[in-house]
Amino acid sequence: MRNYYQKEAETMPLEQLRRLQSEKLKAQVKHVYENVPYYKNLMDEKGVKPEDINCVEDLYKLPFISKADLRETYPYGMLAVPLSECVRIQSTSGTTGKRVIAYYTQKDVDLWEDCCARAIVAAGGTKDDVVHVSYGYGLFTGGAGLHGGSHKLGSLTLPMSSGNTERQIQFMMDLKSTILCCTPSYAAYLGESLKERGYKPTDNHLKAGIFGAEPWTEEMRKDIESSLGIKAYDIYGLTETSGPGVAFECEEQNGMHVNEDHFLAEIIDPDTGEVLPEGEKGELVFTSLDKEAFPLIRYRTRDICVLSRKKCSCGRTFVKMSKPMGRSDDMMIIKGVNVFPSQIETVLLNEGYTPNYKIEVDRVNNSDTLDIYVELSAEQFSDTVSGFNAKEKSLASAIKTMLGIQPVVHLVPPKTIERSEGKAVRVIDKRKLV
Ligand code: DLL
């Protein structure tokens, strides 16, 4: 028997879904035009009125917004309801500038938690599960989102938050956690920590994990699945759209269904803004259809991915987004070549190395340098010096084949690369570029 949290919505025939989206879009555009002067100005500048938007096909007429707009209107400029109607805020980590604040009415929180409950059910969750939430709690949306989704489902929710790995493992074992929710880098670390303590993958009670908030590769998925003895599912979202749960993976594990009854997804050419046809790679853009307090119209996420409407065996009709291939602003240009950290991770894991690595980019004598520090496992560390040199060379050549540029690889002893409890920071760019 197939399981859905909200079957009617999740399996809605496309035509019916389009009608629903069109109705909601009309109302959402009217809502922002009437209640957010910033949106009204943008629409007026583009010469578009709410009456011009009658169905999803009219979406292209609307202006885009980006993080810069949200920063400009910080803190209350995008609020579309009286502040007294809001019951919550969440916020981005602010690592790339001023924080973005998202507001929620009670209905907004409810819909967000429903989206997360759909993700948990798609990963095989039921009310009988013990959902171990190791995403950070607080302003970050990871903890609050999965926690709320788990409650909605009626599962036993462990509000672990991030960090304190010793306690995570103790609770996981004693309370027999069955579903783990955290960043993929922390899941890999938990797998490694369990092994160090002498546990086999079959010793824990976990059956599934719901991992997201940062890019991770298929190789990383295999690594986590084998170290924890689970199925690892991807989940995507961003603070601006409410948080995790905008899209989630089902049993096919090959892309994430976008909750299209609540969000419209488009792919655009990041340079021209032109809408691209299904199947083409570009920047993901979201329009919220139900959000009351902090609605988003054509929000440019900077995440690069592909959308697909290929029929899914799980029965869900929602479009699938591929794993983001990195953010357009995460992309490094090294010696003129576009490099995504995920390309390097793919090679490392394919070549049998650990997912613990650091990428350092610098500019020496006007030329870019790329150094990759890769941690060895305890078994790999027992080699001879000449053995290490040969391995460094062979790994550097595999990475060169992938990227087209020559890195310097440094194999480093076990436990020398700092582990992350939340989103991993893997790139250090020391270049001072003007
Ligand atoms: O990371 C929300 C979240 C929490 C998603 C827990 C999934 C699980 P922000 O901190 O605002 O929100 O960061 C959003 O993180 O634009 C992507 O670049 C990246 N990201 C999120 N999920 C994934 C994923 C949360 N599954 C930014 N794969 C987004 C790759 C992801 N990148």
Side-chain angles (χ1 to χ4, degrees):
M1 217 233 356
R2 300 220 178 281
N3 276 326
Y4 309 97
Y5 179 64
Q6 288 166 322
K7 182 166 187 232
E8 196 188 331
E10 294 176 61
T11 61
M12 189 178 285
L14 191 56
E15 227 172 86
Q16 193 184 337
L17 179 64
R18 284 286 183 239
R19 278 201 301 275
L20 178 74
Q21 289 173 325
S22 293
E23 282 312 307
K24 287 187 175 186
L25 178 65
K26 275 199 285 189
Q28 185 76 301
V29 169
K30 190 164 178 286
H31 175 52
V32 301
Y33 192 83
E34 287 172 359
N35 295 299
V36 184
Y38 193 86
Y39 271 121
K40 179 177 183 301
N41 289 342
L42 286 180
M43 285 175 59
D44 287 347
E45 269 168 31
K46 213 166 180 246
V48 52
K49 296 269 173 257
E51 312 74 90
D52 300 325
I53 308 300
N54 292 304
C55 56
V56 284
E57 286 75 23
D58 291 331
L59 191 60
Y60 77 94
K61 297 178 184 169
L62 292 162
F64 291 115
I65 62 157
S66 70
K67 204 165 222 154
D69 296 290
L70 303 185
R71 290 203 176 120
E72 201 176 316
T73 51
Y74 174 94
Y76 290 130
M78 285 292 190
L79 195 56
V81 297
L83 197 55
S84 57
E85 294 302 308
C86 295
V87 296
R88 173 96 66 84
I89 69 142
Q90 302 284 162
S91 173
T92 57
S93 56
T95 42
T96 55
K98 215 188 234 176
R99 281 176 181 276
V100 167
I101 295 187
Y103 323 90
Y104 306 72
T105 61
Q106 185 56 51
K107 185 178 160 217
D108 293 334
V109 173
D110 272 340
L111 292 184
W112 173 30
E113 292 179 349
D114 284 345
C115 289
C116 289
R118 288 179 186 177
I120 300 173
V121 172
T126 68
K127 70 176 287 302
D128 298 326
D129 276 293
V130 179
V131 179
H132 188 114
V133 184
S134 306
Y135 285 113
Y137 278 61
L139 289 170
F140 179 54
T141 55
L146 271 306
H147 179 102
S150 170
H151 263 234
K152 282 255 170 139
L153 193 56
S155 313
L156 177 63
T157 312
L158 309 192
M160 300 302 301
S161 195
S162 54
N164 201 338
T165 302
E166 205 55 58
R167 189 176 59 193
Q168 302 271 359
I169 291 179
Q170 190 193 343
F171 272 60
M172 183 181 283
M173 289 301 176
D174 294 349
L175 302 183
K176 300 187 173 51
S177 308
T178 54
I179 297 184
L180 172 65
C181 307
C182 61
T183 57
S185 50
Y186 193 54
Y189 180 47
L190 279 172
E192 182 188 353
S193 305
L194 282 163
K195 189 174 170 199
E196 274 170 14
R197 286 162 181 73
Y199 291 112
K200 294 192 290 300
T202 44
D203 289 340
N204 67 62
H205 295 81
L206 292 172
K207 62 179 187 188
I210 303 178
F211 307 128
E214 63 185 7
W216 54 309
T217 56
E218 280 306 321
E219 290 71 23
M220 183 92 161
R221 185 196 316 257
K222 280 185 222 128
D223 183 78
I224 296 171
E225 289 193 330
S226 69
S227 73
L228 289 172
I230 59 169
K231 286 249 173 243
Y233 297 89
D234 206 348
I235 184 166
Y236 170 89
L238 45 160
T239 313
E240 296 87 322
T241 56
S242 285
V246 175
F248 60 92
E249 258 184 350
C250 64
E251 66 230 31
E252 275 202 359
Q253 292 179 290
N254 63 356
M256 296 173 269
H257 289 286
V258 176
N259 277 311
E260 281 190 287
D261 52 338
H262 302 310
F263 298 96
L264 278 178
E266 296 172 278
I267 293 286
I268 61 161
D269 178 325
D271 297 323
T272 63
E274 181 202 351
V275 180
L276 299 176
E278 185 204 323
E280 282 198 28
K281 185 164 99 178
E283 181 180 343
L284 186 58
V285 172
F286 280 116
T287 297
S288 65
L289 293 171
D290 297 281
K291 265 151 62 76
E292 295 179 328
F294 186 56
L296 287 181
I297 303 290
R298 299 196 89 196
Y299 181 68
R300 295 183 60 157
T301 63
R302 298 274 160 209
D303 291 317
I304 303 292
C305 73
V306 174
L307 294 178
S308 162
R309 272 214 188 270
K310 208 168 139 238
K311 193 167 188 283
C312 185
S313 62
C314 78
R316 289 179 182 81
T317 47
F318 293 157
V319 73
K320 269 185 183 172
M321 61 177 272
S322 66
K323 267 184 181 303
M325 297 150 193
R327 295 169 57 77
S328 54
D329 49 7
D330 264 2
M331 188 185 74
M332 302 172 280
I333 302 183
I334 306 173
K335 295 184 180 172
V337 176
N338 296 351
V339 174
F340 286 103
S342 59
Q343 295 173 296
I344 296 174
E345 183 178 301
T346 298
V347 179
L348 296 184
L349 292 169
N350 272 339
E351 298 284 319
Y353 290 94
T354 69
N356 304 310
Y357 62 94
K358 198 136 232 167
I359 301 168
E360 216 172 86
V361 189
D362 206 347
R363 181 159 287 180
V364 181
N365 297 330
N366 289 323
S367 176
D368 291 340
T369 58
L370 171 61
D371 287 83
I372 304 171
Y373 296 83
V374 185
E375 194 180 289
L376 294 166
S377 64
E379 300 88 76
Q380 289 167 328
F381 192 52
S382 56
D383 204 347
T384 60
V385 173
S386 61
F388 285 144
N389 289 343
K391 279 186 183 152
E392 284 176 341
K393 282 213 178 81
S394 123
L395 184 54
S397 123
I399 294 171
K400 183 172 180 211
T401 307
M402 167 70 101
L403 304 180
I405 51 169
Q406 181 72 47
V408 178
V409 168
H410 309 261
L411 296 178
V412 298
K415 301 269 159 257
T416 45
I417 294 203
E418 203 189 329
R419 302 295 190 267
S420 118
E421 293 166 352
K423 296 189 191 229
V425 180
R426 294 202 157 113
V427 180
I428 303 166
D429 196 336
K430 294 177 161 172
R431 293 173 296 182
K432 302 256 178 306
L433 302 180
V434 271

